Amino acid sequence: MRFFDLVLALLPSVASMTIRANKFTPEILLSAPRRSAGNPNSNGSKVLYSTSTYSFEEHAKASEIRMLDVKSGETSLITNAEGASEPQWLDDETVLLLSEAKEGTSVKIGPAKDFENSYDAGTIKGSVGNVKLVSVDDGVYGIAVTGKATPSGDLYNENEAKKPHSTGRVYDSLFVRHWDHYVTENRNAIFLATLKKDGSKFCLSELKNTLKGSQLESPIEPFGGTDHFDISRHGLVFTAKDPELDPATHTKTNIYTITAKNFWDGLSKDLPEIFKVPIHGFEGASTSPVWDEDGEAIAFLSMRTDGYEADKNQVFIIPDYASPGWVVHLWGTEDGKGSWDRSPSSITWGYNQKIYFTAEEAGRVSLWASSSNFNETTRTPHLIVKGGAISSTRLLKDGSLFLSSASLIENSLYSILPASAFLETSSVETYYSLPLDDGESEDDVANRITKYVSSNTRSGSTFGLSRKQIDEIWFEGAGNGSYVHAWVFKPSTFKKGHKYPLAYLIHGGPQGAWEDAWSTRWNPAVFAEQGYVVIAPNPTGSTGYGQDFTDAIRGQWGGLPYEDLVKGFEYIKENLSYVDTERSVALGASYGGYMMNWIQGHELGRQFKALVTHDGVFSMTAQMASEELYFPFHDLKGKLWENPEGWSQWDPSRFAGNWATPHLIIHSEKDYRLTMNEGLSAFNVLQVRGVPSQFLTFPDENHWVLKPENSLLWHEVVLDWINEYAGLEKYTEWRARTQGAASSE
């Protein structure tokens, strides 16, 4: 019995889905309710969450903040006010959330059962988010939010900002633009305030910019959020780029603390000095700083190598906030690699010297546990919950863990790992004294004791999907003795003895992985329901298979991973009789898009009927236009002028004379990581060579296509393109035919 295999037929679904899918289509994918990670109260009896849906009929998005009653399984509306966000528990019955206001952002507080009777605790003159709360004293809370700060340190307010007469911008350093926007003088900052009871209501104090005058920025763009800082009754811990290094060519970030015994009492005065935590020998990115439940100790993650964003995260603990220079490296080794060969992505403190991590493991984001007692650092973390993709872990007051997760067939699952599941051992062993069923392993038993709270899609059945559609394969790779893992996703109509065309999906990164996780951008189920067997391999460079496997892609972009994909295709051809490799298509985005362009110029490209490149690299030298230059500098073993042969060796444009397979190119104008010229160049080559080709672009999208209407068009164009060459009915023709038949009835 696997982690996501249960059909929750007896549990009410939080989502009020209006249809049960007969065929999982892009419209269903994009219009289905999207539910946030759950935010439980202290005993886990009630869960706050936000949900959003998109209507293609009304061309509008609707959002709600709701509360789930765990015992009954019923949900109630907190608010559907436009601009309401980030619900937090102030106590077990009281909710705090942010709401857009004319002046900026309103902090609203009210009873969970009757939030219509909420009140404004205060208004913040600017746009803020990433709320965190901590109880400081009876009737007193500390609150942290983040927002843009002006050079003077004030919260930026777009409505009050002076409009320039010219649109010109002058830069004298790197980072002219980042991800999808041009960099301005305003920087992210962490603002603190207190909430104090005045009679029966809380009042918000004036916000204080903790980073004013420091040259530091946190959270770090473009993806940093609440994982980049944390607060306790003793102060603030955060991560920020090293201000002495150029952020475009370095990944080094530092951990900083601002602490005091009576920290929040002194918030109206000058804050304590910012302290930079020393992490000797670790010059890469440091992330995920978190206080323990007592507000005394801090844990965080750090990488050794500057300029390498996919280096292994290792775990550090500051045992006493009052001595932040005392840092303990858990599971450290003399060679610096660490004895735990996994790269954790988040940390959650437990009780009784327990500490939990999420980390990738063979295509899953699983939960691990260990002792936080730094005197027991020889015992590496132990796997306690396996797969699909755990996104959030919350500690309840009884020591249980509330988990938010997803899988390839489920877009939101809430569950609880009871504290009673753990044996009280210093090594936090979790092989339970429960009988094994036939064929079960200890991992299966660990998953069996997890209490399921709420499935947004009834384990995929709302979408017409089931776990039976998913398999896994391992095949021998290009590296000596290495094996490559791949997910196999079959159509829901799969029948033994039938053959289905292959959709070969190549992931981005390249230091990334296809996981047992939900996606609204590259969802294997959408392709499988068109009639494909989808195979998504994790070749050399992928994460979750040991750091050596990840590191092996350096200087090998078109080498070992390409050989892995060739061997994977041969394995499919020889071993999966239900796959028709004569009707194969291949698709990829980012590095996967690079690989499509590389495949197009090499022998494997002739094995496919059609290819799809989304925001991929055409010319290696064009990566000098990227914002985060440390990425190509690391992966290609040096700067362009230091290693021109290394840059040229894996350049897809060198093999443009071989391009012959029909090819769809997609590239958006606001993609500043890989500029749009890359897509245009590839399309121009195809057109000049007379290769059947199309070009799809969006002027308002970045490296990803996020707007629902744009995403629907993306799916229509992609599915029509590959279906035509794979011998399947075009998606738009199928939709018109079935809708026409339905309307005639």
Side-chain angles (χ1 to χ4, degrees):
M1 186 179 298
R2 295 288 180 184
F3 184 59
F4 289 107
D5 286 352
L6 290 180
V7 177
L8 308 179
L10 300 179
L11 291 177
S13 173
V14 173
S16 54
M17 302 289 289
T18 57
I19 56 174
R20 180 175 293 273
N22 292 320
K23 180 174 182 178
F24 186 56
T25 65
E27 285 90 343
I28 292 173
L29 168 70
L30 299 171
S31 61
R34 304 186 190 188
R35 189 170 68 170
S36 69
N39 184 355
N41 61 0
S42 68
N43 61 14
S45 62
K46 299 179 180 67
V47 181
L48 293 172
Y49 65 93
S50 60
T51 184
S52 65
T53 57
Y54 188 83
S55 169
F56 287 104
E57 291 75 23
E58 299 178 3
H59 306 287
K61 178 183 176 181
S63 299
E64 296 178 341
I65 293 175
R66 303 190 68 85
M67 181 180 69
L68 168 69
D69 182 279
V70 172
K71 185 175 182 179
S72 68
E74 296 181 353
T75 72
S76 57
L77 178 69
I78 298 294
T79 180
N80 59 2
E82 186 175 354
S85 64
E86 304 200 35
Q88 306 288 323
W89 291 105
L90 202 59
D91 56 43
D92 280 352
E93 303 295 335
T94 308
V95 174
L96 176 149
L97 55 81
L98 301 183
S99 180
E100 291 181 4
K102 288 184 179 180
E103 299 84 358
T105 307
S106 175
V107 177
K108 290 186 174 294
I109 296 176
K113 293 182 178 180
D114 185 20
F115 199 77
E116 288 186 358
N117 288 320
S118 63
Y119 61 90
D120 289 345
T123 298
I124 300 169
K125 292 187 176 181
S127 179
V128 297
N130 296 317
V131 180
K132 285 199 171 183
L133 294 169
V134 61
S135 177
V136 177
D137 202 350
D138 186 28
V140 181
Y141 289 85
I143 182 172
V145 294
T146 68
K148 288 289 185 183
T150 65
S152 64
D154 298 326
L155 181 64
Y156 174 71
N157 189 318
E158 184 178 7
N159 296 326
E160 297 179 358
K162 293 182 180 180
K163 301 297 187 287
H165 296 292
S166 170
T167 58
R169 300 184 181 98
V170 178
Y171 295 86
D172 57 10
S173 64
L174 291 173
F175 257 31
V176 170
R177 55 189 188 179
H178 196 195
W179 188 250
D180 59 4
H181 63 278
Y182 279 82
V183 174
T184 70
E185 62 183 359
N186 302 318
R187 297 288 186 267
N188 285 343
I190 303 167
F191 295 84
L192 300 182
T194 56
L195 284 164
K196 293 184 179 180
K197 260 194 173 178
D198 184 3
S200 61
K201 295 183 177 180
F202 283 93
C203 292
L204 180 72
S205 71
E206 184 178 348
L207 261 66
K208 192 152 196 171
N209 181 355
T210 59
L211 307 187
K212 184 176 181 178
S214 67
Q215 295 185 309
L216 299 175
E217 181 177 16
S218 185
I220 303 167
E221 290 192 330
F223 306 120
T226 55
D227 59 326
H228 281 193
F229 71 97
D230 199 17
I231 55 174
S232 80
R233 59 194 178 97
H234 290 310
L236 170 70
V237 60
F238 64 95
T239 184
K241 286 268 192 179
D242 192 313
E244 298 179 0
L245 301 175
D246 194 308
T249 54
H250 295 272
T251 58
K252 180 174 173 55
T253 65
N254 302 315
I255 298 295
Y256 300 90
T257 63
I258 308 175
T259 60
K261 184 176 182 180
N262 299 311
F263 177 83
W264 297 93
D265 291 342
L267 200 60
S268 60
K269 306 172 185 177
D270 290 336
L271 288 172
E273 289 187 4
I274 298 175
F275 180 83
K276 176 183 171 182
V277 176
I279 320 170
H280 301 296
F282 280 71
E283 300 299 324
S286 297
T287 58
S288 307
V290 288
W291 290 89
D292 70 355
E293 291 301 304
D294 296 325
E296 301 289 337
I298 299 168
F300 62 90
L301 305 173
S302 189
M303 298 179 178
R304 283 194 305 158
T305 309
D306 184 19
Y308 185 26
E309 62 183 1
D311 197 10
K312 184 171 77 169
N313 277 320
Q314 299 192 46
V315 183
F316 293 81
I317 288 180
I318 302 172
D320 181 1
Y321 79 92
S323 302
W326 176 25
V327 182
V328 178
H329 181 192
L330 300 190
W331 314 299
T333 55
E334 290 186 4
D335 62 7
K337 292 184 177 181
S339 58
W340 185 30
D341 194 22
R342 288 296 173 263
S343 183
S345 54
S346 73
I347 306 171
T348 301
W349 287 90
Y351 299 123
N352 301 323
Q353 294 188 324
K354 292 188 178 71
I355 192 166
Y356 306 95
F357 309 93
T358 56
E360 283 184 276
E361 166 83 352
R364 298 168 175 85
V365 181
S366 300
L367 184 67
W368 308 69
S370 184
S371 172
S372 61
N373 185 340
F374 55 86
N375 292 318
E376 298 181 1
T377 58
T378 57
R379 297 181 180 271
T380 57
H382 184 77
L383 179 65
I384 57 173
V385 177
K386 182 178 181 181
I390 298 172
S391 59
S392 174
T393 305
R394 299 285 189 116
L395 180 68
L396 304 179
K397 67 180 180 181
D398 68 349
S400 301
L401 293 176
F402 182 92
L403 308 177
S404 299
S405 56
S407 75
L408 283 164
I409 61 166
E410 167 65 76
N411 71 357
S412 175
L413 178 70
Y414 299 155
S415 56
I416 291 177
L417 187 66
S420 59
F422 304 107
L423 296 176
E424 293 298 326
T425 64
S426 59
S427 59
V428 200
E429 293 289 347
T430 51
Y431 292 119
Y432 311 103
S433 55
L434 296 172
L436 293 178
D437 293 338
D438 291 341
E440 276 195 320
S441 67
E442 285 93 344
D443 287 336
D444 294 325
V445 175
N447 295 335
R448 178 149 58 89
I449 63 169
T450 304
K451 175 186 176 183
Y452 293 85
V453 173
S454 169
S455 166
N456 201 34
T457 68
R458 297 184 182 272
S459 291
S461 62
T462 303
F463 294 143
L465 304 176
S466 75
R467 199 70 194 177
K468 294 179 180 179
Q469 295 176 246
I470 302 170
D471 286 329
E472 300 172 62
I473 58 173
W474 292 80
F475 55 86
E476 187 173 357
N480 293 332
S482 68
Y483 277 79
V484 174
H485 173 241
W487 292 102
V488 180
F489 206 119
K490 302 173 185 176
S492 58
T493 56
F494 181 84
K495 296 180 180 179
K496 289 185 178 180
H498 288 230
K499 293 176 76 74
Y500 299 85
L502 167 68
Y504 211 27
L505 301 188
I506 313 305
H507 67 69
Q511 294 91 351
W514 291 117
E515 297 170 343
D516 187 6
W518 189 258
S519 173
T520 54
R521 291 183 291 111
W522 285 84
N523 193 309
V526 166
F527 297 95
E529 293 306 274
Q530 292 295 303
Y532 295 95
V533 168
V534 179
I535 298 186
N538 287 326
T540 299
S542 299
T543 51
Y545 302 88
Q547 193 62 35
D548 289 344
F549 191 75
T550 301
D551 294 344
I553 197 174
R554 190 181 186 209
Q556 282 285 325
W557 264 42
L560 293 175
Y562 173 76
E563 294 175 37
D564 287 343
L565 297 176
V566 171
K567 288 180 174 289
F569 189 87
E570 292 172 350
Y571 177 91
I572 296 164
K573 193 172 185 178
E574 295 172 4
N575 295 277
L576 303 185
S577 59
Y578 52 86
V579 178
D580 184 357
T581 54
E582 296 297 318
R583 294 193 292 152
S584 296
V585 296
L587 310 88
S590 194
Y591 173 79
Y594 160 87
M595 185 53 71
M596 291 301 102
N597 295 343
W598 184 259
I599 284 173
Q600 174 70 282
H602 291 78
E603 186 177 350
L604 183 58
R606 308 292 77 81
Q607 301 298 313
F608 298 103
K609 295 296 184 182
L611 302 172
V612 177
T613 290
H614 175 105
D615 289 14
V617 175
F618 171 75
S619 171
M620 281 298 191
T621 57
Q623 291 206 64
M624 286 302 301
S626 182
E627 8 85 289
E628 294 179 342
L629 291 171
Y630 55 75
F631 179 68
F633 289 175
H634 174 273
D635 274 24
L636 300 177
K637 292 189 171 182
K639 301 176 179 67
L640 172 61
W641 50 93
E642 294 173 345
N643 185 23
E645 296 82 8
W647 284 60
S648 174
Q649 182 180 12
W650 308 119
D651 191 330
S653 68
R654 289 179 54 224
F655 304 93
N658 299 333
W659 287 27
T661 300
H663 203 150
L664 168 64
I665 305 292
I666 307 168
H667 219 111
S668 297
E669 292 186 29
K670 293 183 73 175
D671 183 357
Y672 299 153
R673 176 141 307 180
L674 294 172
T675 64
M676 184 172 162
N677 287 343
E678 293 292 89
L680 282 171
S681 297
F683 178 66
N684 289 349
V685 165
L686 292 162
Q687 287 286 299
V688 172
R689 288 185 54 77
V691 179
S693 51
Q694 285 185 357
F695 181 66
L696 173 63
T697 185
F698 299 95
D700 54 347
E701 298 285 6
N702 54 36
H703 202 55
W704 304 330
V705 176
L706 301 175
K707 295 179 173 64
E709 302 282 355
N710 288 346
S711 185
L712 178 58
L713 177 61
W714 185 98
H715 281 89
E716 290 171 348
V717 173
V718 169
L719 295 178
D720 279 359
W721 178 260
I722 60 176
N723 286 6
E724 180 178 10
Y725 288 98
L728 299 174
E729 184 178 18
K730 283 187 175 183
Y731 173 67
T732 55
E733 293 177 356
W734 171 86
R735 184 176 60 191
R737 177 174 57 80
T738 54
Q739 287 180 347
S743 62
S744 64
E745 294 176 1

